[in-house]
Amino acid sequence: MNRARLSVLVVFFVNGAVFANWAPRIPEIQNALSIDVATLGLALTGVGLGGLAAAPLAASLVRRFGSRWAILASGLLLCSSFVLPAVAVSWWTLLAALVLLGGADSVMDISMNAQGVLVEERLGRSVLSSFHAAWSVGAVVGGVTGAAAAGVRMPVAAHFGLVAVVLGAVLAAVGRGLLGPEPVAPTSDVDRDVPQVVVRPTAALAMLGVVVLLAGLMEDFPQSWSAVYMTTEEGAGPGSAGIAFVAFSAAMLIGRLVGDRIVDRFGPSAVLTGGASVVAVAFLVILGVSSLAADLPVLVIAAFALAGLGSSPLFPVVFSLAGRLPGMSSAAAISVVSLVSRIGFLLAPLAVGHVVDASGFGPVLAAIAAAGVVVAVIGWCYGRRFPIDTDQSRDRR
């Protein structure tokens, strides 16, 4: 089981590192294609569009072949096609490349979370946050690598090609350690003792779906737009524009390293409320700096770090809760919340691009802060309506 856990950690790392290498190079790709922010936003919807289209397929693949083979197939596709955005010649070829990457990422995301829930169940304790911490490690490493490559003006195609080869080889090397097809788990004594009618999968999934929809909006801005924001609003150069994303990812990593213990201590609903509240405060700080039209890059970077800390538990908590809902298979429930999150990642770039082009970053920052408040309220309501999930989380130790 330790080998399986290590393999899943590496899988999450690879997934996080791929797109993190992409984020710091977005301004260069935008300049190379000579497109404005609205057109860039349209092209960036490719990630969400591809993910949205592929999400329903992922659950079927996991059920039929197991999450192990779904991870390997989608992960290798993600790595091998990563170079495509670097060789795009127009906004629509960039869009097509990102559709393919988004689809591969969607299948990998669902299957690796299903594998993570399987490992969590076999270990009998919370570990999903540590897997998402590995994703954040990958995001930090990828963000630093991407920023460094931009700083030395390494050609984007060469950079992305090297990333594809290295991460693809790492993923292939750990494939044998992943768990095979998931057996149907027998009902445990705890499950028999719990009044399952308390949890209504449809209502619970609806609330979790709203959380991941808005969490997707919160995470997409640092990933897709922080470098652009730092360049246009704070006057950052190519090498330093990616620091805000690195700060966000590093803080997210720290939060996820301690996330399992915090969830076990306070319960998932309290963690959702607290984390989302921190995100709201962070984006209000960035909004304040933007409203003052002041060059305060250190404060903005610190606010992005605070947002990463608040965002860190949102996806792990939702995937863990969804994967353990009574009356639904883990893969099916995870695919539902993943599908909804992909809608957020689809809408965010398009909406942000058009709003920024028309009105600047202010309205976008205010909307993300408001999304944090909404998620905080939902987290509080979820704990009151479905207390069974909080109790199960604590009993799993």
Side-chain angles (χ1 to χ4, degrees), residues 8 26 34 43 81-82 89 92 97 101 106 118-119 135 164-165 168 247 267 271 287 301 308 314 324 327 341 350:
V8 177
I26 292 176
S34 300
S81 58
F82 182 57
V89 296
W92 63 267
L101 288 174
S106 178
L118 180 63
V119 172
W135 185 95
V165 171
V271 171
L287 176 61
I301 291 171
L314 302 184
R324 295 182 287 112
S341 73
L350 182 61

Side-chain angles (χ1 to χ4, degrees), residues 26-219:
I26 292 176
E28 294 172 74
I29 294 175
Q30 178 189 3
N31 291 335
L33 297 178
S34 300
I35 56 178
D36 57 26
V37 291
T39 306
L40 175 62
L42 181 60
L44 292 177
T45 61
V47 175
L49 187 62
L52 191 63
L57 176 65
S60 298
L61 291 175
V62 172
R63 283 195 299 266
R64 182 170 182 179
F65 301 106
S67 55
R68 174 187 176 187
W69 292 109
I71 288 170
L72 291 175
S74 59
L76 292 175
L77 176 61
L78 178 69
C79 292
S80 62
S81 58
F82 182 57
V83 73
L84 294 179
V87 297
V89 296
S90 63
W91 73 267
W92 63 267
T93 55
L94 177 61
L95 171 66
L98 293 178
V99 167
L100 178 60
L101 288 174
D105 178 65
S106 178
V107 176
M108 186 179 184
D109 178 48
I110 293 170
S111 53
M112 72 186 188
N113 274 286
Q115 177 86 184
V117 171
L118 180 63
V119 172
E120 189 175 66
E121 289 176 344
R122 294 193 182 181
L123 287 173
R125 57 191 176 91
S126 299
V127 293
L128 201 60
S129 187
S130 67
F131 293 149
H132 283 259
W135 185 95
S136 295
V137 172
V140 172
V141 172
V144 170
T145 302
V152 301
R153 302 191 183 279
M154 182 179 184
V156 180
H159 169 207
F160 285 10
L162 180 61
V163 168
V165 171
V166 172
L167 294 182
V170 170
L171 182 64
V174 302
R176 292 176 62 88
L178 298 173
L179 297 177
E182 292 86 320
V184 178
T187 303
S188 67
D189 292 337
V190 173
D191 292 335
R192 284 193 292 266
D193 293 339
V194 173
Q196 301 291 352
V197 294
V198 173
V199 176
R200 303 170 184 85
T202 302
L205 272 179
M207 298 180 75
L208 296 176
V210 174
V211 170
V212 293
L213 174 67
L214 298 179
L217 297 175
M218 297 177 205
E219 289 196 19

Side-chain angles (χ1 to χ4, degrees), residues 9 26 90 99 221-222 338 366 376 378:
L9 287 169
I26 292 176
S90 63
V99 167
F221 186 87
S338 180
I378 291 175

Side-chain angles (χ1 to χ4, degrees), residues 225-237 240-242 244 297 300-301 304:
W225 296 99
S226 60
V228 177
Y229 178 85
M230 294 298 294
T231 300
T232 59
E233 301 296 313
E234 299 297 326
S240 58
V300 171
I301 291 171
F304 272 108

Side-chain angles (χ1 to χ4, degrees), residues 342-379:
R342 296 289 165 173
I343 296 175
F345 284 114
L346 171 64
L347 296 178
L350 182 61
V352 171
H354 281 285
V355 172
V356 169
D357 190 50
S359 306
F361 280 98
V364 173
L365 298 172
I368 298 175
V373 174
V374 173
V375 171
V377 173
I378 291 175

